[in-house]
Structure formats: C-alpha cells, structure tokens
C-alpha cells in the first residue's frame, strides 16, 4: 500500500473516494471532478488530498486543509473527509492516512493539532478516533450557512 499526495490532474481519483464516502454516509455528493481539481490545484489551494493505492486501485483518500485556532495559538489541520475502501478496513489504513496527513501538513505548515467531524451514525469511525486519542468538544456546535441564507447575508 502506497500513500502519496495527489498531483495535478488527479482530482477525479480523489473524488472517486470522496464519492464512495458520500454514498456510504447517505450524503448527496455534488462535488465534481473539476471542483476537486480546482480546490486542490487551482491558483488558491483550498484543499490537500492524499491517495492510498495498491497498484492503480484507490483504497483510501483523505482531504484536509489548514485551520487557524486563536484559542490554541496554532495552525492545525481540518480533515474534511477520510475514506477507506471496505476491503482495506481493519488493517490500520485509517491510522496510516491520519499519520500521513500529520506528516504532509508538518512539511507544509507545522500543525499544532488535527480536527475532524465524525457522523454519529458511523460508530466504526468513532471507535478509531477514540482509540487514537481524539476527544470530542461537546461545547462546540458545528453550524453552516448556505443557500438562501448565504445569499441573503
């Protein structure tokens, strides 16, 4: 298994895993290959992606970005998506992908923390994050403004 940073022209490969994650979570997936490509490799990089591969087959992906915390006084990593193919689960790939994010972010900006969101209906992911030492922040509420609310702002 090889884990590497996605390169320009590989937005579609990243989106393959992101699309699979959305399907497994029951989410609508509106991100096009072109959008992922632009986010990762456009003039203003908003997203970094890692691919876990066996040969040409994608077995895992992780999408992440820098996040400033004034509370922590550090730039951290926000992991927006992490997916491991069903056939590769239970073999430590999730942990390896998170470690690869840590290492890639250290090369780019020196993170002070990792942050992610886990769905309540994904107990397998929650168990992994708990085992690794992630803690929940019950006092924090994740909020979104989009659609008409965003336009009205």
């Amino acid at each position: 298994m090889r884990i590497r940073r996605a390169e320009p022209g590989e937005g579609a490969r990243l989106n393959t895993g992101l699309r699979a994650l959305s399907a497994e979570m029951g989410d609508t997936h509106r991100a096009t290959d072109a959008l992922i490509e632009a986010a990762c490799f456009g003039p203003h990089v908003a997203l970094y992606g890692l691919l876990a591969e066996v040969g040409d087959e994608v077995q895992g992906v992780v999408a992440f970005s820098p996040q400033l915390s004034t509370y922590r006084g550090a730039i951290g990593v926000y992991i927006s998506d992490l997916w491991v193919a069903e056939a590769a689960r239970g073999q430590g790939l999730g942990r390896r992908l998170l470690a690869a994010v840590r290492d890639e972010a250290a090369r780019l900006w020196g993170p002070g923390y990792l942050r992610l969101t886990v769905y309540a209906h994904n107990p397998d992911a929650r168990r992994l994050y708990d085992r690794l030492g992630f803690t929940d922040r019950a006092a924090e509420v994740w909020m979104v403004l989009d659609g008409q609310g965003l336009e009205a702002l």
Side-chain angles (χ1 to χ4, degrees):
M1 179 88 53
R2 177 175 86 145
I3 298 175
R4 65 175 180 83
R5 186 161 166 197
E7 299 175 3
E10 292 188 310
R13 287 184 64 75
L14 276 171
N15 207 17
T16 296
L18 299 175
R19 197 175 288 112
L21 175 62
S22 293
E24 289 175 15
M25 295 292 99
D27 287 345
T28 301
H29 189 87
R30 293 186 180 100
T32 64
D33 295 350
L35 177 64
I36 299 299
E37 185 74 23
C40 290
F41 310 110
H44 305 288
V45 174
L47 188 71
Y48 296 88
L50 300 178
L51 295 163
E53 303 165 312
V54 173
D56 287 337
E57 191 174 336
V58 176
Q59 294 294 301
V61 300
V62 61
F64 62 99
S65 55
Q67 178 185 57
L68 173 67
S69 172
T70 56
Y71 166 78
R72 289 180 177 88
I75 298 174
V77 177
Y78 178 68
I79 298 166
S80 57
D81 297 284
L82 187 148
W83 171 78
V84 173
E86 191 171 341
R89 293 180 187 160
Q91 301 172 32
L93 183 54
R95 179 186 188 101
R96 288 180 56 203
L97 282 165
L98 289 168
V101 166
R102 177 203 58 208
D103 296 346
E104 183 66 10
R107 189 183 70 74
L108 294 167
W109 65 79
Y113 63 94
L114 298 179
R115 182 178 185 169
L116 52 78
T117 302
V118 62
Y119 280 77
H121 62 275
N122 191 351
D124 292 337
R126 179 61 193 254
R127 278 191 294 278
L128 168 66
Y129 302 139
D130 286 342
R131 269 195 320 270
L132 294 176
F134 280 82
T135 57
D136 62 26
R137 303 283 300 210
E140 295 179 11
V141 176
W142 193 63
M143 299 177 72
V144 175
L145 180 65
D146 60 8
Q148 291 180 336
L150 180 60
E151 290 178 25
L153 186 65

